[in-house]
Amino acid sequence: MSLKKDKFNSKDKFYMNLALNLAINRVGLTGTNPSVGCVIVKHNNIISLGQTSLNGRPHAEYNAVKNSKENLKGSTMYVSLEPCSHYGKTPPCTKLIIKNRIKKLYYAVNDVDKRSHNRCSKILSKKKIIVKKFLLVKKAKNLYKSYFFSKTKNLPYVVGKIACSKDNYIYTKSRIITNKHSRSFSHLLRYKNQAILTSSKTLNIDNSKLNCRLEGLESFSPIRFILDKNLILKKKSYLVKSAKSLKTYIFYNKKNNKKKNFLIKSGIKLIHSQLNKNNQFDLKNILKKISNIGINSLLVEGGAKLTDSFLKDKLFNEFYLFKSPVKLGKKGSIQISKIINKLPHNFDYKKKIKTFLDKDKVIYYY
């Protein structure tokens, strides 16, 4: 993409950085719409701020205009993403900008939505509104990488996560493998992604809740997707018991009407899916179905088999490997050394970051 090199001063960069940070604050919480931040400035003073609303509507520009207690005539608007110019469930934001007689618009990066892509400047310029774009574009591209991917590929942006001991075991009956800091980070990943995917086999082992348990963020738990081709999920699992309060889907293949009826009555939505020649789900096909439901970002918390399958098909966009400093030895089960060795080959090996949460180590691949 060829970028026009407009000149921006330090104040412009400050206001746009604020807009981008407002957007970052709501990543994963705006449904199928991207998270956008908006700052309105008049006479060198910030007069209003706006973010995309939870679940995606109203848009950030609308909220910023609504929040302003001053007349917006002659003001400057800074937006993290190109304002929409098409009619959808709401009128276009370009119309709102024109109506309120905003004088200048700065935005960071073009939208990839074909209905609005690179149209904003043409529409507003006809109304003599000054438009400058590509301000802090690098930060904006990083912010919208998952949105751009899901919008252009019609697949969710997939983040993988697995935790293991120092000697690469992922399960033990005697203790929790990672520390409280790593577990809190895992819940943050659940908060930041619209949905979470795992297998019934993993659930039957650990009876995970698959929710976010960070204080104050419990209501932002992800939608739950389970791969369960033979409907073997235990009836008394926490997931089944909580399905009426937290949206849950199961992909299945085997027709077990008695179990199906039980799960449906429990509040679970069932999606019948075909198997491939290896008698397994076609994961890319599963991801397409998840995308069609309206999911842009997906966290995969699988066991060894599911994680390995995603790596084999190169379906992870990012991956977090949590490693405890503790060796489990004979107390450990399910070894993942082969999976760990595959990780560098699924990502640019130079693009990895090591960090520490107390004594736990986190290796981030992207």
Side-chain angles (χ1 to χ4, degrees):
M1 179 174 66
S2 176
L3 303 183
K4 181 181 176 182
K5 294 183 178 179
D6 285 318
K7 292 183 179 180
F8 304 109
N9 60 39
S10 58
K11 286 186 178 180
D12 293 329
K13 292 176 182 177
F14 173 82
Y15 297 135
M16 184 58 77
N17 194 58
L18 177 56
L20 287 162
N21 287 340
L22 287 169
I24 289 169
N25 183 255
R26 290 213 171 151
V27 168
L29 307 178
T30 57
T32 56
N33 285 342
S35 178
V36 176
C38 180
V39 177
I40 302 178
V41 177
K42 190 172 182 180
H43 303 314
N44 291 319
N45 292 314
I46 295 173
I47 61 172
S48 190
L49 304 173
Q51 295 168 283
T52 305
S53 297
L54 300 178
N55 299 318
R57 296 179 185 85
H59 292 181
E61 298 93 325
Y62 175 90
N63 287 332
V65 168
K66 183 181 178 182
N67 292 339
S68 177
K69 295 181 180 180
E70 295 189 34
N71 190 315
L72 298 180
K73 181 181 177 181
S75 64
T76 300
M77 178 181 280
Y78 295 83
V79 192
S80 59
L81 182 69
E82 178 183 11
C84 67
S85 52
H86 65 277
Y87 279 88
K89 293 184 178 179
T90 57
C93 290
T94 49
K95 187 174 182 179
L96 186 71
I97 292 168
I98 295 167
K99 180 181 178 181
N100 284 275
R101 303 174 75 179
I102 290 167
K103 185 179 180 179
K104 292 182 181 180
L105 170 73
Y106 290 75
Y107 69 84
V109 67
N110 281 333
D111 196 350
V112 295
D113 190 323
K114 293 179 181 179
R115 298 171 296 177
S116 287
H117 176 72
N118 207 25
R119 294 184 60 204
C120 171
S121 58
K122 297 174 185 177
I123 293 169
L124 297 183
S125 295
K126 289 179 181 179
K127 299 295 181 179
K128 297 183 178 179
I129 296 171
I130 298 168
V131 179
K132 292 191 176 184
K133 49 190 173 181
F134 309 132
L135 172 54
L136 300 187
V137 66
K138 186 176 181 180
K139 183 173 180 177
K141 283 185 173 181
N142 185 59
L143 165 63
Y144 291 114
K145 61 184 178 181
S146 61
Y147 166 67
F148 288 168
F149 177 87
S150 63
K151 199 71 178 176
T152 56
K153 303 292 186 181
N154 293 317
L155 293 169
Y157 187 88
V158 181
V159 178
K161 172 254 172 182
I162 201 165
C164 66
S165 63
K166 188 175 183 178
D167 47 354
N168 300 333
Y169 289 101
I170 64 171
Y171 183 70
T172 176
K173 293 181 179 179
S174 59
R175 53 163 286 164
I176 297 173
I177 293 174
T178 53
N179 65 28
K180 63 179 181 180
H181 305 293
S182 291
R183 294 196 297 276
S184 292
F185 192 95
S186 295
H187 284 282
L188 185 64
L189 289 175
R190 292 179 181 181
Y191 160 73
K192 282 294 185 180
N193 285 277
Q194 285 177 274
I196 186 169
L197 173 73
T198 193
S199 67
S200 56
K201 182 179 177 181
T202 297
L203 282 177
N204 284 343
I205 292 173
D206 58 24
N207 195 26
S208 175
K209 295 180 179 180
L210 299 185
N211 59 3
C212 175
R213 296 193 290 280
L214 295 176
E215 187 175 355
L217 300 178
E218 295 90 347
S219 60
F220 297 105
S221 291
I223 294 170
R224 304 177 300 187
F225 289 92
I226 315 301
L227 299 179
D228 187 8
K229 66 177 182 180
N230 296 321
L231 293 179
I232 63 169
L233 182 65
K234 294 177 181 178
K235 290 183 177 181
K236 293 184 179 180
S237 69
Y238 178 88
L239 183 126
V240 172
K241 292 179 180 178
S242 60
K244 289 184 178 178
S245 59
L246 189 54
K247 192 174 289 186
T248 304
Y249 294 82
I250 289 180
F251 292 101
Y252 77 102
N253 177 262
K254 185 178 179 180
K255 293 183 178 180
N256 181 337
N257 290 330
K258 187 176 180 180
K259 188 70 171 284
K260 276 176 59 180
N261 291 335
F262 170 80
L263 293 172
I264 291 170
K265 287 180 181 179
S266 298
I268 295 173
K269 298 180 185 297
L270 298 178
I271 303 174
H272 185 268
S273 299
Q274 297 298 322
L275 303 179
N276 59 24
K277 61 183 180 180
N278 297 318
N279 200 37
Q280 301 296 327
F281 287 121
D282 181 326
L283 292 178
K284 192 165 186 178
N285 181 255
I286 293 292
L287 292 179
K288 286 180 179 179
K289 290 183 178 184
I290 291 174
S291 177
N292 290 337
I293 291 170
I295 302 300
N296 288 342
S297 58
L298 177 71
L299 176 64
V300 175
E301 282 194 22
K305 187 175 181 179
L306 183 60
T307 301
D308 190 55
S309 296
F310 265 83
L311 284 171
K312 183 180 179 181
D313 292 344
K314 295 187 181 297
L315 295 174
F316 286 122
N317 299 97
E318 299 178 11
F319 197 91
Y320 291 87
L321 172 64
F322 293 80
K323 293 203 76 172
S324 165
V326 177
K327 286 187 176 181
L328 293 177
K330 293 181 180 180
K331 292 182 180 179
S333 62
I334 310 178
Q335 237 266 0
I336 61 164
S337 294
K338 290 183 179 179
I339 288 174
I340 292 173
N341 291 335
K342 287 181 182 179
L343 282 169
H345 305 290
N346 276 254
F347 304 90
D348 184 339
Y349 191 67
K350 294 178 182 178
K351 290 186 175 181
K352 69 174 185 177
I353 298 172
K354 289 183 182 179
T355 189
F356 291 87
L357 298 172
D358 194 10
K359 294 181 180 180
D360 280 3
K361 179 170 64 175
V362 184
I363 306 174
Y364 167 56
Y365 295 87
Y366 65 106

